[in-house]
Amino acid sequence: MKAMIFDMDGTLFQTNLILEGALEKVFEELRKNGLWTGQTPIEQYREIMGVPLPVVWETLCPHHSIETHRQSNEFFHLQLIELIKGQKGALYPDAEDILEALSTKYTLYIASNGQKEYLQAITDTYKLNRFIKHTYSIQSIPSGHKSDLVKRIILENRIKNGVVVGDRLSDIQAAKDNGLLTIGVNFDFAHPSELKQADQVINSLKELLDLEM
């Protein structure tokens, strides 16, 4: 069967529903410890959504120590996981039905810049393993590059033909670097300039059902 590799955040999962609450908790903690003044940089985070996590904290807190970055990242993920398990997040509309239909035609995978525990919380909460063969975290790749993560999926599963579905340039580039088709999703965190580089752009996951590959 042909393969379809999905990004998670902003592609299958509506991260925007839990992002603000979790990030606010992190910066409340930083303010409490005298490490931050002013508002939480939520809009700045949305601009870089999808980049590897070390880049997130380097961007949002450029003057903080590596240890503060590590602690912030750990606390952030605990907050995200708590919100996911509390059903505060959601998949995009009809995602479960669409994945079920696609799984009869394609072998489905997830390739995400998210950490393992975070991805596990989403897959467990929404029982995505009914449809997804395996979920791959960027943590499993020393380089931290999504192109290398997709390459690992291809090699481990002997994929000859497939497509990567995602909302950011890293997803599109990962597909191109590995000779796969690219489908950009025009959802919450997508940038028009990045989507232009995809082979095809969709505005709803339902459009995947009409894909000819």
Side-chain angles (χ1 to χ4, degrees), residues 68-193:
T68 299
H69 289 174
R70 186 193 66 77
Q71 292 175 355
S72 296
N73 187 59
E74 187 175 304
F75 188 70
F76 180 58
H77 272 84
L78 289 174
Q79 301 307 310
L80 289 174
I81 289 168
E82 185 176 320
L83 290 167
I84 291 165
K85 291 181 176 179
Q87 302 280 352
K88 301 300 183 183
L91 300 176
Y92 280 96
D94 304 310
E96 290 179 66
D97 291 340
I98 291 161
L99 289 173
E100 182 176 14
L102 289 171
S103 67
T104 65
K105 298 170 60 179
Y106 305 95
T107 306
L108 307 183
Y109 303 90
I110 289 172
S112 172
N113 282 334
Q115 293 187 352
K116 293 176 183 177
E117 295 81 5
Y118 167 76
L119 296 172
Q120 192 68 50
I122 298 174
T123 55
D124 287 350
T125 298
Y126 300 100
K127 299 179 174 61
L128 294 183
N129 287 339
R130 291 173 291 166
F131 322 118
I132 304 294
K133 181 176 179 181
H134 192 74
T135 297
Y136 290 82
S137 165
I138 202 70
Q139 281 181 304
S140 65
I141 297 296
S143 70
H145 294 302
K146 185 165 274 191
S147 292
D148 292 333
L149 185 61
V150 169
K151 182 178 181 179
R152 178 184 170 185
I153 296 172
I154 291 171
L155 292 176
E156 284 190 1
N157 299 281
R158 300 180 181 179
I159 294 169
K160 302 295 184 185
N161 194 345
V163 59
V164 175
V165 184
D167 64 323
R168 298 306 302 267
L169 184 60
S170 61
D171 303 305
I172 296 168
Q173 193 61 52
K176 291 182 179 296
D177 287 345
N178 288 284
L180 302 181
L181 291 174
T182 66
I183 295 182
V185 296
N186 190 22
F187 296 168
D188 296 295
F189 302 111
H191 288 192
S193 61

